Amino acid sequence: MSSRIKFLKEAVKNIKTLGTVTPSSRFLSKRMLREIKFSNADVIVELGPGSGAITKYILENLSPNSILICFEINDNFYQQLQELQNPQLIILKASAEKIVDELKKLQIDRVNYIISSLPLAIIPDKISNEILIKSFEVLSENGSFIQYQYSLSYFKKLKNVFKESISLEFEPLNIPPAFIYRCKKVV
């Protein structure tokens, strides 16, 4: 079965937690990753990778000594990610709000980039705020949190955490079109 059909079936069953019915387009994937300096990135974290549309682009560009850690709570997507079988990929069946604890288990205290496909707008406020605060905590200085959403409604919440260090882009070649928030940890 094609990955798009698998994704659609999963989306129909879990629309309240996935927030979309199609995987990210290659255009969105490339735009989200275009400012990442892969040669300087030791650790990249991906929150809510789903079936791995963006994950595959990250793995293609990852430098040989770097790792990608994915947080995925959906059973079917977790299994699909396992099929990628890449030695630089660590897949955790854990919620993004547990990022600090899970990284400590791996003896990692700082990450260079966090790529998020989480549908923050539909996650309860308490949990989404915790995800943002803990993501900020584990980012290295000048590290980036890159998030896409389908509306501008989340800008204020990101600004509460990342202050003025946010830029915004738009990717029309995605279904639905998406806004990309680039947030930098400046201390």
Side-chain angles (χ1 to χ4, degrees):
M1 187 182 326
S2 86
S3 61
R4 284 195 175 276
I5 293 172
K6 282 183 185 177
F7 190 98
L8 179 60
K9 286 177 74 173
E10 199 59 32
V12 170
K13 287 192 301 190
N14 298 290
I15 192 66
K16 288 186 177 180
T17 56
L18 295 185
T20 188
V21 293
T22 61
S24 301
S25 72
R26 71 178 186 271
F27 304 104
L28 177 60
S29 299
K30 288 179 180 178
R31 185 178 292 255
M32 285 190 68
L33 304 178
R34 75 176 178 189
E35 291 184 16
I36 292 179
K37 293 178 178 73
F38 285 98
S39 60
N40 297 336
D42 299 317
V43 181
I44 297 176
V45 168
E46 187 178 12
L47 305 177
S51 60
I54 296 172
T55 310
K56 292 170 188 166
Y57 283 95
I58 297 171
L59 290 171
E60 286 173 10
N61 293 287
L62 212 54
S63 26
N65 297 320
S66 302
I67 60 169
L68 170 61
I69 303 167
C70 292
F71 285 73
E72 181 55 63
I73 60 171
N74 178 284
D75 290 328
N76 288 328
F77 290 150
Y78 178 81
Q79 292 303 322
Q80 286 180 51
L81 291 167
Q82 293 285 345
E83 292 170 13
L84 294 176
Q85 296 183 359
N86 185 306
Q88 293 176 275
L89 176 62
I90 298 170
I91 307 154
L92 303 175
K93 184 127 178 24
S95 173
E97 67 189 296
K98 305 289 184 203
I99 188 169
V100 173
D101 297 332
E102 293 296 327
L103 291 176
K104 278 183 185 173
K105 289 177 191 175
L106 297 169
Q107 300 178 338
I108 297 170
D109 61 349
R110 292 284 172 252
V111 303
N112 307 101
Y113 297 94
I114 298 174
I115 312 303
S116 176
S117 300
L118 295 174
L120 292 174
I122 64 172
I123 294 174
D125 281 344
K126 183 179 180 198
I127 295 170
S128 63
N129 288 337
E130 190 169 347
I131 290 168
L132 292 177
I133 290 166
K134 288 186 175 180
S135 292
F136 184 87
E137 182 181 330
V138 300
L139 276 173
S140 58
E141 188 172 343
N142 293 313
S144 293
F145 178 89
I146 304 164
Q147 169 76 53
Y148 79 84
Q149 296 284 271
Y150 300 121
S151 75
L152 295 172
S153 64
Y154 221 76
F155 188 82
K156 186 177 178 181
K157 287 192 179 190
L158 287 164
K159 193 170 179 151
N160 287 339
V161 176
F162 290 95
K163 310 299 179 222
E164 301 301 318
S165 302
I166 301 175
S167 63
L168 186 65
E169 295 178 34
F170 181 68
E171 179 51 65
L173 300 176
N174 192 64
I175 300 174
F179 293 95
I180 300 165
Y181 298 92
R182 293 187 191 282
C183 310
K184 191 166 281 294
K185 180 176 183 176
V186 179
V187 287

